[in-house]
Amino acid sequence: EARRLAALGGRDGVNGDAWLNDMLPLGGQLSGSQWRQVARHYESDVSGLRLAELYPLVPPGAQPNAEAATLLAQPSFQRKALSGAECAETADDLQTAAGGRTGGTISLSGPDTVRHPTKLGVGESNHHQVFTDGHFVFDPVYSSKPIPRAAYEAQIRQLNREGVEIGFFPAQE
């Protein structure tokens, strides 16, 4: 199955959205070595970005960072995020809760504005920033639970068909 999926895109012109649509339903069906084989195939450059960075796989058994998930679920933290706190501040709070050296932040920006999911529907702003532990995204304006990073980034791309820049800034060691 991994070979069939790897054959979906050649080394040139891989369609990341098609790959994601094919891969997400198989999450628990492929072994770790099969996931690595597929990921190696999709590490070709697309518009200067590596697909393995655009659509990182959640390994079987991977769990969100427990400390950041605990903070994300706290009603007081949710109120802070939804009452107008800067998204960069809440991302920093979550990264600090995760130990400061785990994951990093994802920065979203578009040509004019960026559309992103919120608990009340689709939000629009000049910029949006969230914490990621590498496999999961912690976005308090969207959910009180961590979301698989690949699914979150696919949703961002879907909401911003005219283009969006998704930057990853790793935690400083």
Side-chain angles (χ1 to χ4, degrees):
E1 184 65 9
R3 281 190 207 97
R4 183 187 74 77
L5 289 170
L8 288 174
R11 298 302 275 175
D12 301 318
V14 175
N15 181 329
D17 290 331
W19 176 82
L20 181 65
N21 290 336
D22 285 332
M23 294 308 291
L24 282 179
L26 295 173
Q29 298 176 22
L30 299 179
S31 70
S33 62
Q34 288 173 314
W35 274 119
R36 284 188 291 282
Q37 178 184 355
V38 171
R40 273 194 304 275
H41 176 79
Y42 283 100
E43 285 182 351
S44 59
D45 287 346
V46 176
S47 301
L49 299 172
R50 295 170 65 87
L51 281 174
E53 293 167 4
L54 290 176
Y55 300 112
L57 305 171
V58 177
Q63 296 294 317
N65 179 278
E67 293 80 7
T70 298
L71 177 60
L72 182 65
Q74 289 179 359
S76 60
F77 186 73
Q78 289 289 311
R79 279 191 300 279
K80 174 183 175 178
L82 297 173
S83 66
E86 286 291 322
C87 55
E89 179 184 344
T90 57
D92 186 58
D93 291 345
L94 287 159
Q95 188 165 356
T96 299
R101 291 194 165 98
T102 299
T105 57
I106 294 175
S107 176
L108 310 172
S109 58
D112 296 313
T113 60
V114 63
R115 297 169 54 107
H116 54 90
T118 73
K119 291 178 183 179
L120 303 174
V122 176
E124 195 167 309
S125 59
N126 294 332
H127 172 262
H128 189 54
Q129 189 170 335
V130 296
F131 168 70
T132 178
D133 63 3
H135 298 299
F136 294 89
V137 167
F138 299 70
D139 186 352
V141 300
Y142 179 39
S143 176
S144 60
K145 296 181 192 262
I147 303 143
R149 181 176 170 185
Y152 183 84
E153 290 185 14
Q155 189 169 12
I156 294 298
R157 290 186 192 295
Q158 177 113 24
L159 291 172
N160 295 277
R161 292 197 183 270
E162 66 280 356
V164 63
E165 184 175 324
I166 301 176
F168 174 69
F169 300 92
Q172 300 298 313
E173 296 203 20

